[in-house]
Amino acid sequence: VITQFWTSVMFSKNVVGTANATSAGWGNLGGGAANAIMPLLLLAFETSIPQDTAWRVVPIVPAATLIVVAIGLYLFSDDVPQGTYKELYASGEREKQNGLKMFAEAAKDYRVWILFLVYGGCFGTELVMNGQLATYIKDYFGASREVAGLTASLFGLMNLFARSVGGIVSDLANVKFGHRGRHWVFFTVQFLVGVTMICFSLVPPSQFGVGVFVLICF
């Protein structure tokens, strides 16, 4: 999530949609990668330790990776393009602001809460899909654990390019129609996501291939 702040302050408004979408999309790409890799890691662990122990041990791999990335992020990143807040406050280049006061000011705008609800539904759905999709495919379509994980990964792996495309279209709409153009792109995409999600829920268990196609469209 922090990358959304960084890209917002680093890129101008005519390309910020593409920058935000690409950084967020590649972040969410991890959900797809995890769905593909974790079942294979579990299979590898099960060859050397008991099955009831392997599934408890395998989460250590992404946890350790996350810790390493977090340490690197803390040690080598700046708060803003100009440097760290500590340095900017000390030099007088940036005035220290009250975070709670800024939040309260933003909270007064009703549009913030509309976006909050829409984003909660959108990203909330994505989190549920990333967490439950492999199990759903295994139970509903009867796929093996490895196939279910690989198929579920397609949902997250689409972020490799799909979210960037959304940002590019949003930027183009902004150039032609102003900020309202971004609203229409946002509405259209969210509406189509809802339609494809309903379609996915209606695919019968015997039509696994159709389910995969609708999932990719979703």
Side-chain angles (χ1 to χ4, degrees), residues 117-173:
L117 293 173
V118 174
Y119 185 74
C122 171
F123 190 56
T125 299
E126 182 172 0
L127 292 178
V128 171
M129 291 289 284
N130 280 330
Q132 300 298 323
L133 191 55
T135 302
Y136 177 83
I137 292 172
K138 180 176 179 294
D139 294 342
Y140 186 73
F141 292 107
S144 67
R145 184 179 62 193
E146 290 74 28
V147 171
L150 183 61
T151 305
S153 73
L154 297 176
F155 178 75
L157 293 174
M158 294 294 290
N159 283 299
L160 181 64
F161 68 90
R163 196 155 178 174
S164 296
V165 171
I168 292 170
V169 173
S170 179
D171 284 336
L172 293 174

Side-chain angles (χ1 to χ4, degrees), residues 17-102:
T18 303
N20 280 341
T22 301
S23 63
W26 280 49
N28 292 347
L29 183 67
N35 272 321
I37 295 171
M38 291 305 289
L40 299 178
L41 277 178
L42 178 59
L43 187 64
F45 273 64
E46 288 175 346
T47 61
S48 55
I49 58 178
Q51 186 177 22
D52 62 341
T53 303
W55 72 268
R56 293 180 170 89
V57 175
V58 72
I60 294 175
V61 176
T65 304
L66 183 61
I67 290 172
V68 171
V69 171
I71 293 172
L73 190 67
Y74 179 79
L75 293 176
F76 302 112
S77 65
D78 293 330
D79 297 312
V80 289
Q82 292 78 18
T84 64
Y85 283 141
K86 184 178 180 180
E87 295 170 346
L88 294 172
Y89 292 151
S91 66
E93 290 183 55
R94 190 182 184 96
E95 184 180 345
K96 197 167 186 177
Q97 296 175 307
N98 188 312
L100 288 176
K101 186 176 180 181
M102 294 172 64

